[in-house]
Amino acid sequence: VQLQASGGGLVQAGGSLTLACTASGGIFSRNAVGWYRQTPGKQRELVAQITREGTTTYGDSVNGRFTISRDNARNTVYLQMAMAKSEDTAVYYCNAEVVAVQIRTKWYWGQGTQVTVSS
């Protein structure tokens, strides 16, 4: 089972970027899938999360700018970043509980994808 985060890169301030988190070898459970971010010396913080039914929660710093969505058929959760700010620069991680055949259901972290916002 793997959780793959992708889509990071360099974006100009005010620009947009979309991240994707895909589970392979299993499917997301009913629990929320979350995007987190971390900068050096700081704790990992919740950016957004979405349940299987589509209920969303956003961190205060991204509310109104970022949109989380999920495609259950593709086993993928997206994070659309808009109106990017320099303080959005961080490594972004996805976190999800994955259900797999013959493997204990457990929570996984993706490997992280770097987002850099240039001013």
Side-chain angles (χ1 to χ4, degrees):
V1 174
Q2 272 193 326
L3 209 54
Q4 181 75 29
S6 61
L10 181 64
V11 60
Q12 286 192 331
S16 301
L17 196 66
T18 298
L19 308 182
C21 173
T22 301
S24 59
I27 60 173
F28 293 134
S29 76
R30 296 183 64 89
N31 290 316
V33 177
W35 279 100
Y36 293 75
R37 65 187 182 188
Q38 189 170 25
T39 54
K42 292 190 176 181
Q43 284 191 329
R44 199 168 291 187
E45 65 169 353
L46 175 68
V47 176
Q49 64 182 26
I50 184 169
T51 68
R52 188 170 183 84
E53 291 74 26
T55 301
T56 57
T57 303
Y58 294 94
D60 290 341
S61 60
V62 307
N63 199 16
R65 298 188 298 118
F66 290 10
T67 302
I68 189 169
S69 61
R70 66 191 284 170
D71 184 337
N72 291 328
R74 296 180 183 273
N75 231 21
T76 299
V77 170
Y78 303 95
L79 183 69
Q80 295 174 277
M81 305 170 57
M83 295 179 285
K85 301 178 180 180
S86 57
E87 50 262 44
D88 295 326
T89 296
V91 178
Y92 284 71
Y93 300 88
C94 58
N95 178 244
E97 185 180 44
V98 178
V99 180
V101 175
Q102 296 185 339
I103 299 175
R104 180 174 60 91
T105 297
K106 59 182 287 187
W107 287 88
Y108 294 84
W109 286 97
Q111 83 284 8
T113 185
Q114 175 72 46
V115 173
T116 303
V117 182
S118 63
S119 55

